[in-house]
Amino acid sequence: PLSGMSLSVQPPNVQVALGDLLVLSCVVATGTGPLSFSWHRGGSATPLGTGPRLELRVGDKDSGHYQCRATDGDRMAESPPLHVTVL
């Protein structure tokens, strides 16, 4: 089963200025087989992106909680939500 999922963020202080580039990376410590990733903000079902990395040019509506989901086809794991503030 998938476990040990963590979310790392660049810049690490999670406060970004309007127009800055926000880079989020999702890392799964354990799991089997090929993994699929998706990124979500505020619990939305529509993904912001797919893949283990999300790059976002920050706009004025991009504050909120971000979460990474990973699946191996049978099981899904979610990262803890990460709060991003746009200054």
Side-chain angles (χ1 to χ4, degrees), residues 7-86:
L7 194 60
S8 69
V9 187
Q10 294 297 325
N13 62 4
V14 248
Q15 290 187 342
V16 289
L18 202 61
D20 279 358
L21 185 65
L22 176 68
V23 179
L24 304 175
S25 296
C26 192
V27 177
V28 179
T30 59
T32 58
L35 298 175
S36 299
F37 295 90
S38 62
W39 290 91
H40 303 268
R41 179 177 62 232
S44 170
T46 305
L48 295 170
T50 56
R53 182 177 162 103
L54 176 70
E55 292 189 15
L56 188 64
R57 186 66 62 184
V58 178
D60 58 359
K61 295 185 169 94
D62 289 328
S63 287
H65 289 88
Y66 287 77
Q67 201 164 27
C68 173
R69 294 179 188 157
T71 179
D72 63 1
D74 295 321
R75 295 170 301 274
M76 185 188 73
E78 293 186 332
S79 68
L82 175 80
H83 189 71
V84 172
T85 302
V86 177

